[in-house]
Amino acid sequence: LADRLGIRVREKRLVYSAASVIKVEMRKEHGTSPATNTISAARVDKAIARLWDPADEAGAKVLAYLRDRGIDDAATRHHRLGLSFIKTDAAQSPAVGVPFFVQSTCVLLKMRNTDPTCSQGDRFRRTAGSESALWNLEGVRGRRRVVMVEGEIDGLSIWQCGVTEVCSTSLGAKGDVPEVWKEAIPDADDVVLDPWSPQRRAC
């Protein structure tokens, strides 16, 4: 609409901001926004089970990857990580499946390739059509201090050290912060950002 009306870049931001406020107010009026393109509980449970099946080579590879990255089994189980796959032109690679939950419903699945030789473009994937979300949303909801990091592996490392009010974004280190993220942590007086992430500039 801004392009159609010939609005300048600076003014476009005002339009986007106004649209975000309207969406937030609509969610407040009608309750939490209904999750779109949700991932079924059965699919999440199946992906989890494959990690702990000793006969499942792909699952064992993902579990070994997590352990090599210093993620202990308790954190893996708590956050319901599972086996996923990233399809490339050549084949498909086992990946860590990280579910993002909103009120116990999986609204997004992010995948992290376990192949260290994969290209940058094949390193991460997420379920198509899903809305941007925060990983460990319930862990930060209502908290006065929130630690926000770029990746889920970073967040898991911090969480298992006892800092449970940690979250990660589904967009990585992007320049913009969606309004829905701000809405999710309205009680936070202190937001600690990953010092290496461009998110600190966006906030």
Side-chain angles (χ1 to χ4, degrees):
L1 178 61
D3 289 334
R4 174 80 73 175
L5 296 175
I7 298 175
R8 295 176 309 191
V9 173
R10 182 178 177 185
E11 292 167 330
K12 282 183 187 180
R13 291 177 181 169
L14 296 176
V15 173
Y16 294 152
S17 297
S20 296
V21 169
I22 291 169
K23 289 178 182 177
V24 169
E25 290 305 315
M26 288 178 66
R27 280 196 292 271
K28 289 180 179 176
E29 181 179 348
H30 301 291
T32 55
S33 57
T36 57
N37 296 329
T38 59
I39 293 90
S40 70
R43 178 179 170 188
V44 173
D45 291 341
K46 182 178 179 182
I48 295 169
R50 291 193 65 177
L51 249 60
W52 308 103
D53 181 355
D56 193 315
E57 292 184 9
K61 185 173 183 178
V62 169
L63 187 57
Y65 171 85
L66 288 167
R67 288 170 174 170
D68 286 345
R69 293 291 303 269
I71 306 304
D72 60 39
D73 292 353
T76 297
R77 289 183 186 276
H78 180 86
H79 291 285
R80 306 183 69 189
L81 306 186
L83 169 67
S84 191
F85 291 94
I86 290 180
K87 295 179 181 179
T88 65
D89 293 336
Q92 62 178 10
S93 298
V96 179
V98 182
F100 286 57
F101 293 98
V102 175
Q103 296 180 346
S104 302
T105 298
C106 183
V107 299
L108 168 71
L109 187 68
K110 192 169 174 184
M111 292 147 271
R112 209 293 181 193
N113 203 325
T114 59
D115 180 4
T117 64
C118 70
S119 67
Q120 183 68 30
D122 291 332
R123 189 164 298 165
F124 298 102
R125 294 283 164 73
R126 54 181 280 180
T127 45
S130 297
E131 293 184 6
S132 294
L134 288 176
W135 170 80
N136 194 34
L137 172 63
E138 297 308 317
V140 299
R141 194 188 296 278
R143 304 295 286 268
R144 291 297 181 184
R145 181 185 69 169
V146 173
V147 179
M148 183 177 287
V149 296
E150 181 180 347
E152 294 72 46
I153 299 295
D154 300 331
L156 285 161
S157 299
I158 293 173
W159 182 90
Q160 68 187 20
C161 289
V163 182
T164 58
E165 66 276 17
V166 60
C167 64
S168 170
T169 76
S170 57
L171 295 176
K174 299 296 183 181
D176 295 323
V177 178
E179 288 295 328
V180 68
W181 297 356
K182 300 174 190 176
E183 181 189 355
I185 52 174
D187 299 318
D189 296 325
D190 184 17
V191 179
V192 182
L193 298 175
D194 174 359
W196 304 109
S197 170
Q199 291 166 347
R200 69 188 188 279
R201 294 192 295 274
C203 290

